Amino acid sequence: MIDLLANGLVQIVQWKYLLPLLLGTVAGVIGGALPGVTITLTIIVVLPFTFGLDPLQGLAAMTGVYVGGSAGGLVTACLLGIPGTPSAIATTFEGFPMARGGQPGRAIWLGVWASFFGGLIGGAFLILVTGPLAKIALAFGPWEYFSLFILAMAMVAGLAEASLLKGVIATAIGLLITVIGTDPIMAVPRFNFGSEFIGAGFPFLPVLIGIFAFAQIMTDIEKMSAPKMAGAAGAAPSLRVAHLKVIGEILSRPFLLLWSSLVGIVIGVLPAIGGSAASVLAYDQAKKFSRRPEKFGSGVPEGIIASESSNNANVGGSLVTIMAFGIPGDAVTAVMLGAMTIHGITSGPLFMVKHSELAYGIYAAYILAHVLMVAVVWVCALFLLRIVNVRLAVLAPVVMTLCVIGAYALNNTMQGVYVLLLFGVIGYVLVKAGFPLAPLILGLILGDQIEINLIRAIMTDDNPWLFVTRPISGGLLLAAATSVGLAVWQHLRHQKKVAAAESEPNF
Amino acid sequence: MDTRRTAIVLAALGTALGLSTVAAAQSQYPERPIKMIVPWAAGGDTDNIFRPFAAELQKQLGQPVVIANVTGASGTAGAREARNSPADGYTLYAVHDYIHLTYYAGISDVKYTDFEPICLVAATPSVLTASPKTPWKSWQDLAEDAKKRPGQITVGATLGSTSHIFPAMIEKASGVKFKYVSYEGLAPRMNAILGGHVDLTDSNLTQKGSVEAGLLKFIAIASEQRTPEAPNVPTLKELGMNIVYEVVRGVMAPKNTPAAVRQRLDQACTKAVTEPAFAASMKAQGTAVAHKNSADYAKFLDKIDGDNKAIMADLNLLKR
Amino acid sequence: MPLGRDGIAGLIAAALGLVLFVQTFAFPQMPLVPVGPGFYPRIVLAAMVLAGAGLALQDWRARRGAGAEAEPLRLSLPGRLVLAGFAIVAAYCALLPVLGYRLATLLFVAIFQAALEWPRQARDWVWLAGVALATTVVTYLMFESYLLVLLPRGSLTGW
């Protein structure tokens, strides 16, 4: 395995792969730093560029975006007090006060180095666990996959902040979108209302790009008319800092670093929870374990270390799930999965065996991306401050153009572009109506697979009890039931406290 | 700079260019990149065969031949897109037997006669493949077991497509009865058969590596003669079943593509398939180069269309 | 009966689910497949109808409980800019196959920029045109020449 990894590293340091990885990392850092541009949006923008590349080039670029994005957000979080990307939410709690307190360099570099170490811990997990997990996955028949998908949906619908019922409706809408078109077994038309446009079904990536890109850009445009946030400090802050001292600060808290990374990994492995939850949860844990919780909020290093190490470790965890089971953990890995499909690569149990070069290439890209991320932030931290102020009027049209190309180039037809537009409108309306988007996307991703595995199970054996009596399948269903039960219990407990407060769109 | 003026200038320029293109189209085809629609995903069997072919065709034509994967609805999305494209020779359509099957199954309204045949490119013989978790060592074991428990041996297949038709022909010839489970595409079928979730499936010689590693078992091949690639695998003919089943892939152009253009493409195709590089890449995919020029391909298409219709009728899947 | 945003959304979801649920019974049964193509959609739609009805009920009860203080339904229309944004993107998508990628994109990027922030000085106009031209040229060259994605040609312009 070590030699495979070494091979992967040797492969990835060729210019052919290093360049896309570097460009991806730069794009990620910039996208992450731009407030209102999420990692999801950045990876959507990068997507069309990967069509003409070879698979590893494309995936290297996307890995770079993912890793770079998780770090880029912290620069904006520390200097402007706005999370550049949702996964940097908790970083603002400590990073901004610390920067305001005259230590912007320390705040940023604590974050960067914590991201670096957290990411590497996540990487070790990724490399050690994916293979064994993939072997177990081969024992997964249609019953187990069906139950696994049910568990994934139960967890995500239950996690929806607004309400469990809205989570269920959003999931159902996602599943419904995959039902429209033709049935997956015999291509019987369903709900096409005689239209050839609907009859072809709605391909997953244009729907995803539409929902996320429009929801994001249009929400940003809406905020444009609102009064501007207080800008950065007038004079460029000095970011000079003693790196060894900062690294020492992090490594002298090994328990905090490991625990936050573990939180990030676990959240990454669980489908569709995402980096923002990892960041907040790890921050919360750090506060609970701290000997001086009352200091939190005034710029303590522990908060930054927890938030940033966990959101980068989260990336490693998500990559495990996508590679071993073919289930994307969040919208970012969903796009990566889509990119693999375009290149004809099926992820899942056989991915490690059939495409081991690619798998180890991704591992290598993941590790190297962390080194590049540090270098990129090093070189352009100050320059980033200028980019952060790019006007939305310029950003929005360019991003939209790339989204349209992405939707078109998927299938080389205008169909994809029309689907993009349609779901852009639908996504925006749903966000306005307060529906969470994460369950919808998971439903959309898993819909086809849930149906086909259900039908396969029935076709293989007409005994429906097999879903419960097969041990893995039964265990997964039990976990799903527990998860829903917990969510309902929590919901009831909180119900009295629920205020009518509007929640932000849930990315 | 005034944007509007720029736009007007650009628009005028564009119109002029557009007109000149139409005028010149007949004289020196091809003069711009050609789009070849592959109705399946990139990296699939069909895509893997047409990518090296496009590279060779491009050398012969002197213009880029760009593969456009138009996927969805069992290959029907690509077929419709190709049918609706202008018949100017700048859109080609890469096709295999599915066009007959989806038409007769009522899935698609596109028929092979909606296109002009250009040439036949390759043929891939089907191989009946068994899971390592099954006890059978040969077809005889399998047939005996199947007769003992009819309708219980599971076959992973894309229903109504080639991977379904092939085992169905074996059922008919040998009098056994299988149970079909829907697994669309070769990759999911391989996952299922390696994990033992289905017993049998249709695959091809690309799986030779897994067989040698003991992860799969080839039972029989549906070619005329044994292949040098896997000399131990008996043909179905040897086993007393008169079945030769190959997935054939060719290139077509939209109806009414000018004859001169078709002739140019036919010539280029003839040269492209004889390139040693192409033969080598086909061999690596368990596929034989099988060339027919447009006239022969047209006759061949008529024949296999009739064959496929008969099979679909036998299987009670005929909807037209 | 007072209903808020959630109540209406729930009712819409339930109604839509119910209509489609009824439709599933018109799907043809296929040979070889033990359950028809309507089997799975019915499960999904049933969940949607129940959750939608539940949401409407929850909202109604919450509002009845709040009594007179319940705020009346306010429909917040999206801002003018957002509507303009959607209209411009829609126009771009519609014109793409007519004008061709290059022309449509040039116009789209220019107009969208102007709509979001009207240029005040000559310098702003130059900047706007520059961004539009650069976006078009760079993406076109990148995709068409380097990445071999053939972008839409205009049916009207042939370009």
Side-chain angles (χ1 to χ4, degrees):
Chain A
M1 193 169 85
I2 299 294
D3 48 325
L4 276 172
L5 187 61
N7 274 341
L9 277 169
V10 169
Q11 197 183 3
I12 213 88
V13 292
Q14 296 170 44
W15 274 115
K16 192 178 157 201
Y17 299 112
L18 195 59
L19 196 64
L21 180 65
L22 179 65
L23 291 177
T25 312
V26 172
V29 170
I30 293 173
L34 285 169
V37 177
T38 54
I39 305 176
T40 311
L41 195 59
T42 315
I43 213 151
I44 285 171
V45 166
V46 170
L47 174 72
F49 292 98
T50 65
F51 291 155
L53 304 174
D54 87 30
L56 186 54
Q57 285 177 311
L59 288 168
M62 292 187 154
T63 310
V65 171
Y66 204 177
V67 171
S70 296
L74 76 93
V75 177
T76 327
C78 292
L79 296 180
L80 301 186
I82 316 164
T85 189
S87 64
I89 287 174
T91 313
T92 50
F93 303 160
E94 302 302 325
F96 190 51
M98 187 185 275
R100 272 287 161 91
Q103 293 179 302
R106 181 168 171 235
I108 288 182
W109 282 103
L110 268 174
V112 172
W113 285 114
S115 295
F116 179 79
F117 291 118
L120 289 190
I121 294 170
F125 178 81
L126 170 69
I127 293 163
L128 293 174
V129 165
T130 309
L133 259 187
K135 286 214 181 72
I136 297 169
L138 207 52
F140 273 47
W143 302 271
E144 285 76 19
Y145 271 109
F146 177 78
S147 304
L148 181 66
F149 297 147
I150 294 294
L151 172 62
M153 292 197 308
M155 291 181 59
V156 174
L159 276 170
E161 287 146 38
S163 93
L164 181 64
L165 285 171
K166 281 190 167 178
V168 173
I169 294 175
T171 312
I173 293 173
L175 294 174
L176 192 60
I177 295 170
T178 64
V179 164
I180 295 168
T182 54
D183 103 281
I185 315 284
M186 295 295 282
V188 178
R190 294 195 295 206
F191 305 134
N192 66 2
F193 305 103
S195 140
E196 210 170 273
F197 171 67
I198 303 176
F202 299 122
F204 153 66
L205 278 171
V207 174
L208 180 79
I209 300 175
I211 287 181
F212 275 95
F214 277 78
Q216 185 71 59
I217 295 278
M218 292 303 168
T219 315
D220 289 350
I221 287 178
E222 208 159 45
K223 281 186 198 148
M224 244 173 86
S225 30
K228 289 247 154 93
M229 293 279 291
S238 162
L239 300 180
R240 291 173 66 93
V241 71
H243 287 281
L244 280 178
K245 199 168 151 246
V246 168
I247 295 173
E249 263 191 284
I250 295 168
L251 294 184
S252 64
R253 298 179 173 89
F255 175 74
L256 175 72
L257 181 66
L258 275 176
W259 186 248
S260 312
S261 302
L262 195 68
V263 168
I265 289 168
V266 169
I267 292 206
V269 169
L270 299 175
I273 306 182
S276 51
S279 151
V280 173
L281 204 63
Y283 176 84
D284 189 51
Q285 296 274 311
K287 195 171 169 182
K288 280 195 183 118
F289 284 123
S290 172
R291 260 179 257 123
R292 36 170 200 161
E294 72 285 352
K295 293 259 182 190
F296 273 67
S298 64
V300 296
E302 287 93 333
I304 301 177
I305 297 170
S307 165
E308 283 304 316
S309 58
S310 104
N311 70 22
N312 269 60
N314 174 68
V315 175
S318 312
L319 288 175
V320 171
T321 328
I322 175 182
M323 284 165 83
F325 289 96
I327 302 177
D330 54 18
V332 181
T333 37
V335 177
M336 290 179 82
L337 192 69
M340 281 202 222
T341 317
I342 288 164
H343 286 290
I345 297 160
T346 326
S347 69
L350 285 192
F351 178 72
M352 291 295 299
V353 185
K354 284 208 160 165
H355 304 281
S356 65
E357 253 185 37
L358 192 59
Y360 281 90
I362 293 175
Y363 294 166
Y366 174 82
I367 294 170
L368 205 58
H370 281 89
V371 180
L372 290 176
M373 174 268 290
V374 173
V376 169
V377 178
W378 203 308
V379 171
C380 52
L382 277 178
F383 172 68
L384 274 177
L385 271 180
R386 295 186 57 122
I387 291 188
V388 164
N389 293 321
V390 167
R391 301 198 320 279
L392 186 64
V394 173
L395 199 64
V398 175
V399 168
M400 276 296 160
T401 305
L402 286 169
C403 290
V404 166
I405 296 181
Y408 176 82
L410 278 172
N411 224 353
N412 297 288
T413 58
M414 284 304 291
Q415 161 97 1
V417 179
Y418 302 139
V419 171
L420 171 87
L421 184 65
L422 175 67
F423 281 91
V425 176
I426 292 177
Y428 180 75
V429 171
L430 287 176
V431 167
K432 285 272 123 190
F435 284 96
L437 291 183
L440 188 152
I441 289 301
L442 194 72
L444 182 67
I445 295 162
L446 298 181
D448 276 340
Q449 287 301 311
I450 291 175
E451 169 163 23
I452 201 146
N453 279 294
L454 177 63
I455 307 284
R456 271 175 197 161
I458 297 171
M459 285 176 93
T460 312
D461 200 316
D462 48 17
N463 176 9
W465 291 107
L466 282 176
F467 284 107
V468 190
T469 54
R470 284 174 70 107
I472 302 180
S473 172
L476 291 167
L477 283 181
L478 186 69
T482 315
S483 154
V484 170
L486 268 177
V488 170
W489 178 70
Q490 262 191 340
H491 184 71
L492 289 177
R493 214 178 47 156
H494 279 281
Q495 205 170 28
K496 278 164 196 140
K497 292 191 231 163
V498 168
E502 292 293 352
S503 55
E504 278 281 286
N506 181 5
F507 295 111
Chain B
M1 194 166 73
D2 186 329
T3 332
R4 214 174 49 188
R5 192 190 298 159
T6 320
I8 293 167
V9 170
L10 284 174
L13 211 75
T15 318
L17 265 173
L19 290 176
S20 59
T21 321
V22 174
Q26 309 290 332
S27 54
Q28 22 169 244
Y29 171 86
E31 50 159 28
R32 60 182 167 92
I34 295 167
K35 175 159 134 180
M36 184 186 283
I37 293 178
V38 171
W40 309 101
D45 314 4
T46 308
D47 186 72
N48 283 339
I49 284 169
F50 280 101
R51 276 189 196 266
F53 176 71
E56 296 299 337
L57 195 63
Q58 171 168 337
K59 276 186 212 151
Q60 301 301 329
L61 291 171
Q63 280 289 344
V65 177
V66 180
I67 299 258
N69 300 96
V70 182
T71 61
S74 306
T76 302
R80 287 210 183 106
E81 177 76 11
R83 184 182 60 185
N84 299 340
S85 295
D88 54 7
Y90 290 102
T91 307
L92 300 177
Y93 171 43
V95 69
H96 76 63
D97 303 296
Y98 87 98
I99 184 128
H100 312 288
L101 298 169
T102 49
Y103 178 76
Y104 287 118
I107 293 167
S108 157
D109 54 352
V110 186
K111 212 179 174 209
Y112 76 104
T113 47
D114 292 335
F115 301 93
E116 309 275 3
I118 301 293
C119 65
L120 184 71
V121 175
T124 314
S126 288
V127 183
L128 185 66
T129 310
S131 162
K133 306 212 168 156
T134 56
W136 320 308
K137 296 213 165 54
S138 65
W139 162 254
Q140 284 79 12
D141 296 353
L142 165 60
E144 227 170 85
D145 195 11
K147 281 190 179 127
K148 263 185 235 152
R149 40 189 198 116
Q152 289 192 38
I153 290 172
T154 49
V155 179
T158 308
L159 297 188
S161 187
T162 51
S163 57
H164 176 198
I165 303 305
F166 171 56
M169 289 164 83
I170 295 176
E171 266 185 320
K172 194 165 174 251
S174 63
V176 300
K177 195 93 196 84
F178 297 136
K179 180 195 256 181
Y180 290 94
V181 182
S182 172
Y183 280 92
E184 194 150 338
L186 190 60
R189 285 209 294 278
M190 286 303 123
N191 270 347
I193 202 159
L194 286 180
H197 307 297
V198 294
D199 300 323
L200 286 173
T201 195
D202 154 51
S203 81
N204 55 44
L205 291 170
T206 50
Q207 301 303 319
K208 205 174 66 162
S210 304
V211 172
E212 280 160 6
L215 297 172
L216 286 178
K217 294 187 278 194
F218 280 165
I219 301 284
I221 187 165
S223 52
E224 282 288 348
Q225 275 138 25
R226 289 194 184 206
T227 161
E229 301 289 310
N232 298 327
V233 180
T235 65
L236 285 169
K237 282 199 157 176
E238 285 173 47
L239 298 170
M241 287 171 271
N242 188 20
I243 300 169
V244 173
Y245 196 78
E246 296 176 321
V247 179
V248 290
R249 293 178 168 90
V251 176
M252 310 211 278
K255 197 82 192 166
N256 300 326
T257 301
V261 169
R262 277 186 282 149
Q263 204 185 345
R264 177 84 185 83
L265 286 167
D266 193 3
Q267 281 168 2
C269 175
T270 308
K271 288 203 187 110
V273 293
T274 49
E275 289 293 321
F278 181 65
S281 61
M282 288 304 99
K283 196 175 167 213
Q285 303 188 44
T287 294
V289 176
H291 177 254
K292 287 191 196 307
N293 67 21
S294 57
D296 293 343
Y297 186 29
K299 281 182 218 141
F300 179 70
L301 279 170
D302 293 338
K303 178 185 170 294
I304 60 171
D305 189 62
D307 291 353
N308 278 300
K309 188 176 178 183
I311 296 167
M312 294 294 275
D314 274 354
L315 295 173
N316 203 14
L317 288 171
L318 195 64
K319 287 281 148 60
R320 292 181 199 262
Chain C
M1 182 174 64
L3 265 188
R5 186 194 64 180
D6 284 3
I8 289 174
L11 280 185
I12 291 174
L16 180 74
L18 209 57
V19 169
L20 294 179
F21 190 87
V22 172
Q23 287 219 336
T24 59
F25 291 97
F27 293 157
Q29 181 72 31
M30 284 286 141
L32 293 167
V33 191
V35 291
F39 175 70
Y40 167 77
R42 262 171 242 146
I43 300 174
V44 173
L45 290 166
M48 188 156 145
V49 171
L50 290 180
L55 189 64
L57 190 70
Q58 199 181 48
D59 188 57
W60 179 67
R61 279 175 55 183
R63 277 173 185 273
R64 202 183 47 168
E69 293 139 61
E71 54 178 307
L73 172 66
R74 270 184 299 127
L75 268 181
S76 63
L77 276 173
R80 216 161 41 92
L81 265 183
V82 173
L83 286 179
F86 272 115
I88 293 170
V89 178
Y92 175 48
C93 294
L95 288 178
L96 205 51
V98 180
L99 296 180
Y101 175 77
R102 284 164 278 191
L103 200 52
T105 304
L106 189 73
L107 291 174
F108 166 70
V109 178
I111 292 172
F112 201 6
Q113 275 188 84
L116 291 181
E117 220 173 86
W118 186 254
R120 294 209 174 77
Q121 313 157 5
R123 232 186 100 220
D124 296 342
W125 282 106
V126 171
W127 177 247
L128 179 143
V131 170
L133 202 63
T135 309
T136 310
V137 170
V138 170
T139 52
Y140 178 77
L141 288 180
M142 188 85 193
F143 285 99
E144 193 101 340
S145 323
Y146 177 59
L147 299 172
L148 287 181
V149 172
L150 297 183
L151 296 164
R153 291 286 186 283
S155 58
L156 193 69
T157 57
W159 197 56

